[in-house]
Amino acid sequence: PSNVGILAMEAYFPTCFVDQTALEAQDGCAGKYTKGLGQNRLAFVTDREDIASVLMTAVQRLLERFGVDPAHVGRLEVGTESLIDKSKSVKTSLMRLFGENKDIEGVTSTNACYGGTAALLNSVAWVQSEDWDGRLAICVAGDIAVYEAGPARPTSGCGAVAMLIGPDAPLALEPGLRASHVIDCYDFYKPHHSEYPMVDGKLSQAAYLGCVDACYRGYKAKAARRGEKVTVDSFDYVCMHSPYHKLVQKGFARFLYMDFLDDPTQEGFSEVQHLSGDKVDYNASLESREVDAAFREVSASSYREKILPSSFVSKEVGNCYTGAVFMNLLSLISDVGPGMVGKRVGMFSYGSGSVSSLYSFRGRIPDTPSEFTLERIQAIGVRGRLAERKSCTSEEFAQAMNFREAAYGQAPHQPQGSVEDVPVGAFFLESVNEKHHRSYGRK
């Protein structure tokens, strides 16, 4: 099969959100989370929803909206780091959506925020393989991102994106153009019996930026072997993993910095010649405020053109961990839709620890008449859904986090959060029995 990629997309983000300005007022730091992090709001759930219910809702919406027969799904891949069991894959909890069809390959991929990309690439590889049986694949990526009370909590969020994978797709993965970079570092990890991570913020930022550089250089090298010289202008749009959007801005500036190091004589670099590779140590550049400020300025117009169209949803729902880069892709399709035909979309995925990849899609019109189009993905109405959410106070957000903290690992457990905040059609956690068996309902 050719032009394997994304046929359809759906999403779930919670009904409840809190404004970052409310958190700034609570913490006495006006502008820190809005201007400093580049975020507007964050979505959250109580203990009434867990990662299985969140992912079930996203997948069920995909099946229903696009009329996918559960029997015609041959692979289901999950990407998440919000584990509720150290052995039983979250994927198994989703099998209730597929009726009598138990012949579905795939499990859950976990490495911080990278698992969604692993799920996508596994799904694409299956469709391209000799073992493909003609059915479609689904990959779903999402998380409930929570932090203990303190300066990191405003980078919380929640959401999931489900994608249908198959041939002749309106978003086809470009074969042979993928570069990865994997290192061993402790920038963000979860060694404790808790939902809360341990985070080294300074190391995490440097690791993210270094991975952007390495993946972009690798992508450029692979393109060069095919006779294509890649610069930032080779991408019409770029979607990047977004813990918060100020980091996306910094990361995108590194694309321009790499182009500059490759050829300082290119147009647009006249004002930054003092930052060339022979004058600034590379490792120092990862933490240099001067390099960051200069190349954010150099990249400003490209950022507005290539990044901003993909940023709206994540600014509204916060960090979705594995789902973040795909929320950005969905945001891009929501805004541009069929205007993406013929366009290249760069996708940078990063998961702490750390694993990263840069790959790309091409927007296209399917070769044969198809129900799967960019217009249909655009029509799911993401902006309308965001506008219908419930605004909550910082106290209500804190209470929800307290509910989740108290519930973690408890058995038996009866959720304290209200079912009223679960949207119609969504799944929710009914109870956990003394053996840690979880029961779900659908509103």
Side-chain angles (χ1 to χ4, degrees), residues 256-419:
L256 275 294
Y257 186 53
M258 292 299 102
D259 285 347
F260 168 69
L261 294 183
D262 284 349
D263 182 5
T265 66
Q266 290 181 73
E267 184 179 354
F269 294 140
S270 60
E271 301 299 318
V272 291
Q273 292 297 311
H274 62 292
L275 298 174
S276 59
D278 60 339
K279 297 174 182 174
V280 177
D281 176 73
Y282 171 74
N283 289 327
S285 78
L286 295 170
E287 299 180 11
S288 169
R289 292 185 178 183
E290 183 180 13
V291 170
D292 175 54
F295 282 89
R296 279 197 284 133
E297 178 64 28
V298 168
S299 65
S301 62
S302 293
Y303 178 85
R304 289 191 294 270
E305 174 188 336
K306 302 177 190 297
I307 291 279
L308 277 185
S310 69
S311 67
F312 180 76
V313 176
S314 286
K315 287 186 175 184
E316 291 290 312
V317 302
N319 193 359
C320 302
Y321 286 167
T322 58
V325 71
F326 302 110
M327 277 293 184
N328 294 335
L329 179 60
L330 188 59
S331 186
L332 175 63
I333 299 172
S334 177
D335 277 12
V336 181
M340 292 171 63
V341 170
K343 308 295 186 182
R344 173 184 276 168
V345 183
M347 302 283 292
F348 174 71
S349 178
Y350 175 85
S352 291
S354 67
V355 182
S356 57
S357 293
L358 177 63
Y359 54 100
S360 54
F361 289 106
R362 284 278 187 182
R364 58 188 297 277
I365 298 172
D367 293 330
T368 58
S370 174
E371 59 190 319
F372 302 119
T373 63
L374 291 167
E375 289 93 334
R376 283 201 69 193
I377 299 175
Q378 184 182 40
I380 70 173
V382 171
R383 283 183 178 265
R385 292 184 194 175
L386 289 169
E388 294 170 355
R389 294 180 300 162
K390 173 185 174 182
S391 178
C392 298
T393 65
S394 58
E395 290 79 12
E396 289 171 320
F397 171 53
Q399 182 183 54
M401 296 301 98
N402 290 339
F403 283 167
R404 294 193 62 82
E405 184 174 330
Y408 189 82
Q410 296 301 305
H413 174 67
Q414 185 63 43
Q416 299 180 69
S418 174
V419 179

Side-chain angles (χ1 to χ4, degrees), residues 94-161:
L94 275 59
M95 288 303 297
R96 69 191 66 212
L97 306 179
F98 295 89
E100 295 303 311
N101 179 16
K102 309 302 181 187
D103 180 19
I104 300 180
E105 296 183 2
V107 290
T108 300
S109 294
T110 300
N111 187 93
C113 303
Y114 186 83
T117 289
L120 170 72
L121 299 180
N122 288 344
S123 299
V124 169
W126 176 71
V127 175
Q128 293 173 333
S129 76
E130 294 181 354
D131 290 315
W132 185 50
D133 62 7
R135 293 184 293 168
L136 301 177
I138 290 176
C139 68
V140 59
D143 277 288
I144 301 170
V146 292
Y147 296 82
E148 60 186 336
R153 180 161 278 185
T155 62
S156 301
C158 179
V161 179

Side-chain angles (χ1 to χ4, degrees), residues 179-185 187 203-219 240 251 254-255 258 282 286 348-358:
S180 295
H181 187 66
V182 183
I183 60 175
D184 181 12
C185 72
D187 59 324
L203 176 59
S204 190
Q205 178 172 294
Y208 179 100
L209 298 179
C211 285
V212 170
D213 295 350
C215 287
Y216 184 39
R217 282 176 159 169
Y219 186 102
M240 303 185 72
R254 301 296 295 192
F255 279 70
M258 292 299 102
Y282 171 74
L286 295 170
F348 174 71
S349 178
Y350 175 85
S352 291
S354 67
V355 182
S356 57
S357 293
L358 177 63

